Amino acid sequence: MLNWLFVGMTIFVAVTMAATTMLPAKPHKNVILETTLPHEQLNHPAVHALTKNFRKQLWWLALFFSLAGLPIIFIHFDSLALLYFMLLLFGLIGVFYATEVRFIHKMSRLKQQHNWLQKQNTEKVADTQLILTKNRRLLSMQWFIGSGGLLVIGLVSNLWLLGWGTSWPLLLALTLGWALFLLLYWVIAALPVRVLTAQPEYDRVLNDSYRQTWSRQMVLGSYVIGSLPLIISITTMAFSLIYIYFIIVTAFCIYLIYDLIRERNFEDQLLGNFSPQTTTDEDRYWRYAMYINRDDHRLFVPDRVGVNISLNLGRPAGKLIGGITVVLVLGLLFSVTGTLLALDFGGNSIRASATTQTITLKAPGTTTTQIKRQSVQQVRLLQQLPVGAVRVNGIGTNNFAIGNFRVDKRAAKLYVVQDTGTVLLLQTNHRDYYFAAKNPKETQRLYRALQ
Amino acid sequence: MLLKIDVASTVPLYQQIHDQIILGLASGQLQPDEALPAVRQLADELAVNMLTVAKGYNLLKAEGYLISDRRQGTRVAANFQADAVFMQALQEQLHQLTAAAKIRGLDVKDVQELVAAQYQSFEGE
């Protein structure tokens, strides 16, 4: 199941990467492939041929990586399947990015060959009336009170149900995620008014639409992320909402992409008649989809493709935030892979011990549990995990079930190697514990010791 | 109004802001009693130092073009008087300009025509 999921995700990522990397090849204002061209040259045959070739290469790459993902089906170990998937993902992102960089180079060379260089624009324009009412269509900040309230209720219920030790990493990540949406909302509100057409009525429509679309997405995003702790709590206490939540997250992602592309198309449509007047050559600040401008005091800037907000890496804070993000993402990926490798190849990695006072359960990827023997109400030996165990957080693969789950409508903590034929169940007042070592004899030995 | 400044120009930025607002008023792009962005807001929008905008605004306030209070922010003045201070400043500038025009051989009629054309250009905008 997990392997098929990886294959599906590889195909999805490859196709999505091809479709999104292709966006810069469609002119936005008068920028194409990160290169500012005179408006009248956007349809030049040489430009057309280059972008066509770029698109073709991206589709071939998508096909190649989709096929390269198929061998995952035959990998037996979860850790190796994840490692293969991760390496494929890094390769995929690297190759797509390298292809984009190569074609940006080609477009830049074409610009120089045809002497399409633009005059450097040193003029700054501000519409005094528009500045005063620039955020009139921005969604109210009060919307964040709702998502913040959901987040707080969820955090408190999570801490109460699962304890600090189990829930803090997820809670910290979700709080930071929610704060990021609030920060981006603030960034959108603070962005300077864009005088794109020098026609106040058109500029107003463009600004209103841009701020409304982006603030709507930030508010929606804050609700999606802010509701997760509460969903986890409800799943732990009553019934599973996790799959419904995944559907909501997927729907949000699709709507986000749709809405931002719709906004970009709307801008291009409205700007159609004005593009020659909006020519500004900022190519020297954009290096391969990254914005580097020490003289710009802004930390976040709208990108030139029209569907993103970029970090200004020319500022020390930009470098710091960019660096921390990369370290966090890589750290998360490597820690998950390391945990699965430890489970697959770490020998006796899921283990338990019992003294006269306590029972200790250990596994990579989750906290160690110490249960007082007097709090154990029942000890049973099962042949397998009950059907319909729902994961709240932790690892749930074909081979392992580790972390917090909900089993038979009760909160449960699992330390289980699947399909060993023996699972130990320890029932306490508040929670059940399931344990199954790789070697079923160890599970049976613990059962006998607890009898 | 559309306020344009050129960061590569030799004219100081505060002076450009000052001149642009007066030109905006003369051409009707900016109306008496119209609200203007606060110093910080305009500095953010133009990505220039706050002190630059403050200097331009203060000059305009001293000349009677702008007024500001805590409640209503910065606004264009409601009416403008050709008071003694202004008349003296105008005469000094004209004195200098007519001197330069005379040196270059322009007579009174030429200068009058130029002034009339300038007036017309503001009315035409």
Side-chain angles (χ1 to χ4, degrees):
Chain A
M1 176 65 186
L2 187 73
N3 296 36
W4 281 106
L5 193 70
F6 281 145
V7 172
M9 276 168 69
T10 309
I11 295 170
F12 177 74
V13 173
V15 173
T16 309
M17 277 296 284
T20 50
T21 314
M22 228 171 260
L23 272 179
K26 194 182 164 201
H28 182 53
K29 295 167 194 162
N30 50 343
V31 178
I32 187 163
L33 270 170
E34 299 280 339
T35 311
T36 310
L37 297 185
H39 186 250
E40 61 277 11
Q41 304 300 347
L42 290 172
N43 288 319
H44 190 279
V47 174
H48 255 301
L50 193 68
T51 51
K52 195 178 165 188
N53 192 11
F54 177 58
R55 285 195 195 96
K56 209 165 98 181
Q57 285 209 13
L58 292 179
W59 284 126
W60 277 113
L61 282 175
L63 182 68
F64 170 79
F65 280 101
S66 299
L67 293 174
L70 291 178
I72 297 179
I73 300 164
F74 305 106
I75 300 176
H76 176 65
F77 294 103
D78 292 335
S79 56
L80 293 183
L82 180 64
L83 197 63
Y84 185 94
F85 173 69
M86 248 178 60
L87 292 175
L88 200 65
L89 211 60
F90 285 137
L92 183 151
I93 293 168
V95 171
F96 270 93
Y97 185 59
T99 308
E100 189 181 352
V101 168
R102 195 159 59 86
F103 275 86
I104 290 172
H105 258 304
K106 284 186 177 186
M107 188 60 86
S108 183
R109 218 165 36 230
L110 197 69
K111 180 180 173 177
Q112 283 169 357
Q113 279 167 0
H114 288 80
N115 202 20
W116 289 335
L117 300 173
Q118 305 276 304
K119 201 177 87 181
Q120 191 177 329
N121 189 4
T122 54
E123 193 180 70
K124 293 181 178 180
V125 187
D127 185 326
T128 56
Q129 277 303 301
L130 203 51
I131 291 170
L132 291 169
T133 53
K134 69 177 186 180
N135 287 330
R136 64 177 191 162
R137 292 276 184 263
L138 193 83
L139 260 66
S140 166
M141 201 180 227
Q142 288 177 349
W143 282 100
F144 281 90
I145 297 173
S147 60
L150 276 176
L151 182 74
V152 171
I153 295 168
L155 294 183
V156 172
S157 61
N158 253 242
L159 287 175
W160 182 64
L161 284 166
L162 301 169
W164 175 251
T166 305
S167 30
W168 78 263
L170 184 69
L171 300 191
L172 182 67
L174 292 176
T175 309
L176 286 176
W178 183 84
L180 183 69
F181 279 110
L182 186 61
L183 173 73
L184 284 174
Y185 172 89
W186 175 78
V187 167
I188 302 298
L191 279 177
V193 166
R194 298 173 305 162
V195 179
L196 297 171
T197 68
Q199 302 290 319
E201 62 274 29
Y202 282 94
D203 284 334
R204 184 173 290 286
V205 170
L206 285 165
N207 272 283
D208 285 352
S209 173
Y210 183 83
R211 285 170 205 272
Q212 192 179 33
T213 302
W214 273 90
S215 61
R216 179 170 57 231
Q217 292 306 330
M218 294 309 109
V219 166
L220 280 175
S222 78
Y223 275 88
V224 169
I225 212 155
S227 59
L228 182 56
L230 198 59
I231 300 271
I232 291 173
S233 296
I234 294 171
T235 301
T236 313
M237 276 191 308
F239 48 87
S240 176
L241 286 173
I242 289 288
Y243 293 110
I244 295 172
Y245 183 74
F246 284 142
I247 294 169
I248 292 171
V249 171
T250 311
F252 167 69
C253 291
I254 292 169
Y255 180 56
L256 174 76
I257 294 168
Y258 158 77
D259 207 21
L260 296 183
I261 292 177
R262 180 200 56 75
E263 175 61 29
R264 175 192 144 112
N265 290 342
F266 172 72
E267 280 185 11
D268 283 337
Q269 201 181 355
L270 209 64
L271 282 171
N273 300 324
F274 296 99
S275 293
Q277 292 144 36
T278 61
T279 302
T280 52
D281 196 339
E282 290 186 331
D283 291 0
R284 63 194 179 285
Y285 299 128
W286 288 92
R287 306 256 172 83
Y288 313 126
M290 283 182 274
Y291 185 66
I292 307 163
N293 183 2
R294 280 186 201 179
D295 299 328
D296 192 341
H297 70 293
R298 293 173 300 170
L299 191 56
F300 293 94
V301 290
D303 79 350
R304 300 203 298 173
V305 181
V307 288
N308 204 356
I309 301 279
S310 289
L311 199 58
N312 181 3
L313 295 176
R315 289 193 58 189
K319 284 180 194 141
L320 189 71
I321 294 173
I324 290 173
T325 310
V326 170
V327 169
L328 279 180
V329 171
L330 288 181
L332 185 73
L333 282 172
F334 282 112
S335 69
V336 172
T337 313
T339 302
L340 284 177
L341 278 169
L343 283 168
D344 276 334
F345 303 107
N348 196 15
S349 55
I350 298 178
R351 57 187 190 273
S353 58
T355 64
T356 50
Q357 299 294 317
T358 57
I359 305 159
T360 307
L361 305 175
K362 278 185 184 176
T366 193
T367 50
T368 299
T369 301
Q370 288 202 320
I371 313 160
K372 285 183 184 163
R373 282 188 73 160
Q374 62 197 37
S375 67
V376 178
Q377 294 168 337
Q378 197 182 8
V379 180
R380 284 167 59 199
L381 201 61
L382 313 172
Q383 287 188 327
Q384 60 177 31
L385 262 182
V387 179
V390 178
R391 180 163 58 105
V392 177
N393 60 33
I395 298 163
T397 68
N398 282 346
N399 302 322
F400 301 101
I402 287 160
N404 289 291
F405 283 65
R406 187 161 179 81
V407 184
D408 285 341
K409 296 182 180 173
R410 276 175 62 83
K413 183 131 193 197
L414 271 61
Y415 296 82
V416 172
V417 179
Q418 306 266 33
D419 301 328
T420 56
T422 315
V423 178
L424 180 70
L425 166 63
L426 305 171
Q427 272 191 337
T428 65
N429 198 17
H430 296 296
R431 192 181 294 196
D432 295 344
Y433 296 89
Y434 290 85
F435 174 80
K438 276 185 185 170
N439 185 349
K441 284 179 185 168
E442 278 184 43
T443 314
Q444 286 159 358
R445 199 161 37 234
L446 180 66
Y447 174 67
R448 282 196 298 275
L450 296 175
Q451 282 281 297
Chain B
M1 70 165 288
L2 289 181
L3 201 151
K4 295 177 187 175
I5 58 165
D6 189 345
V7 289
S9 165
T10 51
V11 181
L13 292 177
Y14 81 89
Q15 189 69 49
Q16 292 186 45
I17 294 170
H18 167 270
D19 296 350
Q20 284 276 309
I21 287 180
I22 293 177
L23 288 171
L25 270 166
S27 63
Q29 279 190 57
L30 205 55
Q31 298 297 321
D33 206 32
E34 188 176 314
L36 281 175
V39 169
R40 190 195 185 100
Q41 222 174 356
L42 189 59
D44 279 350
E45 295 290 329
L46 292 170
V48 296
N49 196 305
M50 258 181 25
L51 293 174
T52 306
V53 179
K55 198 171 174 182
Y57 269 22
N58 285 339
L59 198 56
L60 288 159
K61 278 185 221 166
E63 291 168 350
Y65 294 107
L66 300 185
I67 47 172
S68 65
D69 63 60
R70 280 189 189 163
R71 204 164 51 85
Q72 289 197 312
T74 306
R75 306 183 81 81
V76 178
N79 52 55
F80 306 99
Q81 305 289 328
D83 56 17
V85 178
F86 170 75
M87 288 308 291
Q88 193 189 341
L90 181 65
Q91 277 189 9
E92 280 171 10
Q93 284 174 37
L94 271 176
H95 189 66
Q96 193 68 31
L97 284 170
T98 45
K102 188 170 182 294
I103 292 165
R104 284 163 176 78
L106 273 72
D107 59 20
V108 175
K109 202 182 159 205
D110 293 334
V111 175
Q112 280 175 338
E113 277 174 7
L114 281 171
V115 172
Q118 288 295 331
Y119 263 85
Q120 276 174 3
S121 74
F122 292 131
E123 276 151 21
E125 281 179 19

